[in-house]
Amino acid sequence: KQKEFEKATGKVSAQSKEALRAALAGVLERRMFYIPSFKIYGSVAGFYDYGPPGCAIKQNMTQTWRNHFVLEENMLEVECPAVTPEIVLKASGHVDRFTDFMVTDAVTGECFRADHLLEGHLEALLEDKKNPPSPEKTKEIRELLASVGELKQDTMAAALKEYNVRAPGTGNDISPPFPFNLMFKTSIGPKGDLVGYLRPETAQGIFVNFRDLLYYNGGKLPFAAAQIGNSYRNEISPRAGLLRVREFTQAEIEHFVNGADKSHPKFASIAGLRPLLYSRALQMGEEKKAQPMSLGEAVEKGIIANETLAYFIGRTWLFFIKVGINPERMRFRQHLQHEMAHYATDCWDGEVETTYGWVECVGLADRSAYDLKAHTSMSKIDLTAFEKFPEPRMEEVVKVVPNNKELGAVFKKDQKAVKEALEALDECGAMELKSKLDAGETAKVAASTGQTFDIKPGMVEIKKVTEKVTGKTYTPSVIEPSFGIGRIMYCMFEHSYYTREGDETRAVMGFKPVVAPTKATVFPLVQKPALNELATKISRDLTSAGLSNIIDTTGNTIGKRYARTDEIGVPFAVTVDFASVDGDGSVTLRERDSMAQVRVPQSEVASVIRNLVDDRMTWGDVTATYPAQKAQADDE
Amino acid sequence: KQKEFEKATGKVSAQSKEALRAALAGVLERRMFYIPSFKIYGSVAGFYDYGPPGCAIKQNMTQTWRNHFVLEENMLEVECPAVTPEIVLKASGHVDRFTDFMVTDAVTGECFRADHLLEGHLEALLEDKKNPPSPEKTKEIRELLASVGELKQDTMAAALKEYNVRAPGTGNDISPPFPFNLMFKTSIGPKGDLVGYLRPETAQGIFVNFRDLLYYNGGKLPFAAAQIGNSYRNEISPRAGLLRVREFTQAEIEHFVNGADKSHPKFASIAGLRPLLYSRALQMGEEKKAQPMSLGEAVEKGIIANETLAYFIGRTWLFFIKVGINPERMRFRQHLQHEMAHYATDCWDGEVETTYGWVECVGLADRSAYDLKAHTSMSKIDLTAFEKFPEPRMEEVVKVVPNNKELGAVFKKDQKAVKEALEALDECGAMELKSKLDAGETAKVAASTGQTFDIKPGMVEIKKVTEKVTGKTYTPSVIEPSFGIGRIMYCMFEHSYYTREGDETRAVMGFKPVVAPTKATVFPLVQKPALNELATKISRDLTSAGLSNIIDTTGNTIGKRYARTDEIGVPFAVTVDFASVDGDGSVTLRERDSMAQVRVPQSEVASVIRNLVDDRMTWGDVTATYPAQKAQADDE
């Protein structure tokens, strides 16, 4: 009845979410998809190990990602260390701003995330049946709840005070909120004076290599670089299981492009895709529901900022479908204006619906030229590209001509530094200086040495001239799709889990063959030497074809053995029977989701499964090619 | 002439080593196989990024490793975090003992590795032409040099003092040597009270999961678990480029086995292999040279301790050959007795000859039951396995029967603790207690609570009885093959590098197809739309077949283009010419090392290359199947 209600209304009750999550967790832990790390020492929150099937799925997923993005798009893949010296993360802003607000229990010293505490407190007020808040108060609480993530230190402090939020468990006073940096800190080298952090994202490794990568790419833009690797965030109080961990695998792409032209040559190939888009307008509207829309239309209407960003949204959608996410339970949500950094042009999060709500699994951001400019400014290394015009153009340019004689007389040994500072001015800086000098004022100019110099009229001539220019130097924009592999895996687990019709205890993990940890199991029908021998031979054939497989000679009933393999999501099962050794030599091949069975010659079975896994053949092709085998009474 | 001398004597002069290393480094850096990390910020010693071709080779190498070991042997692969709480590394001994001796410049505070300093100093003395040491002194220095790695803190201090070793560069006094822990330290969580380290090896993650892995394996031994992941060592002063880095990828196997039976079911499959073995006897002997010996013979003669260790030596040898290490320049060197930890049974290092000398790339160690016992002792969690005997046996066992009445009267509330302590005694402990009590003495017994109790005669009965036992509980032994992926890569680079006969400037990286970063290049013979179009189509076919490829339409001569692809080790090149579009539709396929060319139908070329890369076809098969194409004058 619960199920019918859910089907009819499209809503899932809290109980049924809890039940589903618990049932799934049971399978995942029992079959060792993951294990809380350091379990024999009591574990540490926020750390998980992948056990054998989890590890295999992760490998398959990153390999699929690599084929889908790196290989298909000829991206430049790099691998950089996780240990990162402070200056890199100072430039990126992480040292100063990668923080969450923390409060502590005034008595016990226990630490909490301020936003989690406030949210919990407000939700409890809304659900308080004994003392329900007034309609006005309810409205106020709801509004505050919606903006908890954007509160600043002072407004957070005010809110915690106003609602008299206290420490959970003890009910003690809490400290005012203060920023806590989420990076793990360490020191590099024996002297202890070189501060390092574990990277909070893989992206910075690509940015600091931009110059070399551009050279590698023959100086041509656009190009994309990619990195798959572990990142680290010292979360204050990790919860939500596999969704918020302290060490996790990211797969990030930095697509470098001239900000003046963000068209994409392959845009047409994805323009017809219709993922669920949850635009700013839909979020502010009445229904608050994502709508399918073709990416072509979204770019045309200006909903998605440009073709390149839309191209990656499309490719990301295809990737998610390929690894087993249900496209009807995935949406791309646009960041509201106040959610975006000041420099960002447009951002979309790929979110997947789970029992935890909508989970952000990928962020796609047009970050303009912010990152490369930040590193140029810190490193003093030029991180620009040069756009050669098809034809030279006549353009008005600003010329800065220092008066060497005058500079030499006034600045003596600093003459060179002053001259360089003047010549380094960009167009705006030069025109600003000109206007001051023209007004007879003295203006200050900063040199790269750290000195500041007073420039007086007559020391420099600044003029606009029209001249032939062959191209333009610019700092490329970056469009960044950033994937959280662990989160995608968890969401995929939820979307893959189901129970057999009519038997709630028979769990099936309906993994796509490409991500399934084990591609096939091999069973002898009964325990006989001849059958075991053939099963072993077929297992070896599968291994030679690069197909992970398990041979099960336990002698359990076939039905029990199928149930076991269903639970770890093995898509195909090969059963060897007497006909396989004495008759026509064929074996039974069974597909997990349809439970359909066919007879395949034993010499062909490895290549058939290989083709199925590599998507070169569908199960439909197989049933059309090979004769069906009727399931036996005790099979399922 | 230098080359002829080297060929004849088998010796390579120091100059030619330097020259080779410099030439190779030129290619590796120019083609971005690797990049010093954080280059725009001046880099940090001991950290390297893999650029696009390096990253691809590393992926191919770890994937080959996974297929060769994990898939072939059905190992249980796991993935554990790098951030590790202190208690785990306290148990393993790393917190207390994972150190190098450091000395500092008494004036500048600069840090040095004591052993490197002493070695450098002693080598300089030996090479001092002006004041050559006496023959006795020379002998003494040579002996000290050979044992530098095994000096303890006091003997190291004495040696540095005796030889008056001073700080390099400044000539200042140096501090006495002191141990410096090589682990990167951090803290976990917001309170800062949970000390963590970046793991110095991946092995511990497997040990702490032993209980769950055994359960996953149905309680059966032997089984092996594996992990590929990054490890971290805060080296005091990293040198030797890619060979000694602070963050590096390990691939480790822990094969758990009953110490009483280390035979291996697949031993026969490798018994006939004849790698170069450098046994203890050969190292102590006159010639000091490794000899080829079959692994079967080595086990039979007791040179290698057991079949399982020998099996992994054989499989490791095959892996090295598969990825491009020259087997004539690889040896397995047995640890001398004093090099091994007290608990180790037998250890062999897989070493590869390079311009840096013999480089340890893999360690294969029979570590007995040390690791699991260490974690049992720290965690108080039972990490044992149970061996069920085929038939129950009658065995003499020691029975401990506490006298409850007596214990209750004497120990009152502690009775339970005393009883448990007595029952927890192992066979030796119980017999020792018995002998004391029988002699009328009082004996002390320690309880798990930390208390100690005086046991007097009459409080417990200890007797040997013969009874039926069904099996035995034991702590498994561990045989550990541990691979350093980065080192294998560097050695493979050296073994792959050569120059074309007669042209010292034409560098070739002779990568095996399976590890080559790019499997094929596609060239149109000349720049014509029809040829470019067909080349693009073939490039797409290759991509669909999962083959990384580069299309080069630069219009350079074919010879120049071949030279470029040789340098990044592309094994196959496809050239599209007029016959490809107007004639029989065939294209030219060229193999890098032989430079031989054949004509292949365009529709078959992707699958031919796929088969070559997957080792399903040799180049000999290809030349036997397809007609040869004569090379053009300007081709090479």
Side-chain angles (χ1 to χ4, degrees), chain B residues 470-521:
Chain B
T470 56
K472 207 173 83 180
T473 296
Y474 65 97
T475 303
S477 284
V478 141
I479 291 174
E480 175 187 88
S482 169
F483 295 71
I485 297 294
R487 287 190 170 189
I488 301 173
M489 275 176 70
Y490 179 78
C491 295
M492 189 274 281
F493 289 150
E494 281 209 4
H495 288 201
S496 300
Y497 174 85
Y498 66 94
T499 54
R500 287 273 180 233
E501 194 87 42
D503 186 354
E504 294 277 323
T505 66
R506 276 203 55 186
V508 184
M509 296 301 291
F511 298 134
K512 296 263 175 138
V514 70
V515 298
T518 303
K519 307 304 184 196
T521 36

Side-chain angles (χ1 to χ4, degrees), chain A residues 32 37-39 41 49-50 52 58-59 66 77-79 81-83 85 91 185-186 189 209 212 234 247 375, chain B residues 32 37-39 41 49-50 52 58-59 66 77-79 81-83 91 185-186 189 209 212 234 247 375:
Chain A
M32 278 182 75
S37 302
F38 324 117
K39 205 166 127 180
Y41 292 104
D49 298 344
Y50 289 116
K58 194 184 154 209
Q59 285 311 319
R66 193 170 268 125
E77 189 178 350
V78 298
E79 190 179 310
V83 174
K185 195 173 184 173
T186 189
N209 278 321
D212 282 359
N234 193 13
E247 179 167 344
H375 283 294
Chain B
M32 280 182 73
S37 302
F38 324 116
K39 207 167 126 182
Y41 293 104
D49 297 344
Y50 290 115
K58 194 185 153 207
Q59 285 311 320
R66 193 170 270 127
E77 189 178 352
V78 298
E79 190 179 311
V83 174
K185 195 172 184 173
T186 189
N209 278 321
D212 281 359
N234 192 13
E247 179 166 344
H375 283 294

